[in-house]
Amino acid sequence: MDKDGTLLGPDGKPLLGPDGKPLKCGLDKDGNPLVDADGNLLGPDGKPLLGPDGQPMKVALGPDGKPKRDKHGNLLGPDGKPLIAAGKPVSSGLPKSGGPLVGSDGTLLGPDGKP
C-alpha cells in the first residue's frame, strides 16, 4: 500500500478497481488501512472498498482490530491466505514483523514496493 492508501500488488504497481481506477483505502492516524467490524476494507469515504470483481474487499482482523498481514506484508483475507485483487496479492507495504519490506527473493523494498 502506498502512503496515500493506494493498494499495490507485489510488483509495486497500483491495483485497479472495477472502474479501472487505482484502489485506494482510507488510513488511520498510524497509516493502517481502515476496516469495519466485519473486516471490510474501507475507502477514504468510509464506505466498503470494492475490489476488481465489484465485491467488498474483506480482510482478516487481528486481536487489535487491525488487518492481519503475512511475513511479506500482504494483507490476509478471512481464509488466512493473502488477499487477492486483480489476480495479485494486496501488499500493505509493511511486513508483519514491522521490519523492512522484502521481496520473495530477499531484496529490500521501499514503501512503493520497489527495490
Side-chain angles (χ1 to χ4, degrees):
M1 181 173 47
D2 205 350
K3 59 185 171 189
D4 70 352
T6 300
L7 297 179
L8 304 174
D11 57 3
K13 295 182 181 176
L15 297 173
L16 304 179
D19 59 1
K21 295 180 181 178
L23 290 169
K24 187 180 277 192
C25 65
L27 302 174
D28 68 13
K29 62 180 173 58
D30 296 321
N32 294 305
L34 291 178
V35 293
D36 64 17
D38 296 322
N40 293 308
L41 279 176
L42 301 177
D45 60 1
K47 295 179 182 177
L49 186 63
L50 302 181
D53 61 359
Q55 298 298 311
M57 297 179 70
K58 288 191 174 281
V59 296
L61 298 176
D64 59 359
K66 294 181 181 177
K68 288 185 177 181
R69 295 172 277 152
D70 67 13
K71 65 180 181 179
H72 302 292
N74 297 316
L75 294 172
L76 298 177
D79 60 1
K81 296 178 182 176
L83 179 65
I84 303 294
K88 301 176 184 177
V90 178
S91 173
S92 69
L94 293 171
K96 185 177 182 177
S97 67
L101 181 62
V102 295
S104 58
D105 64 354
T107 304
L108 287 175
L109 304 175
D112 60 358
K114 297 177 184 176

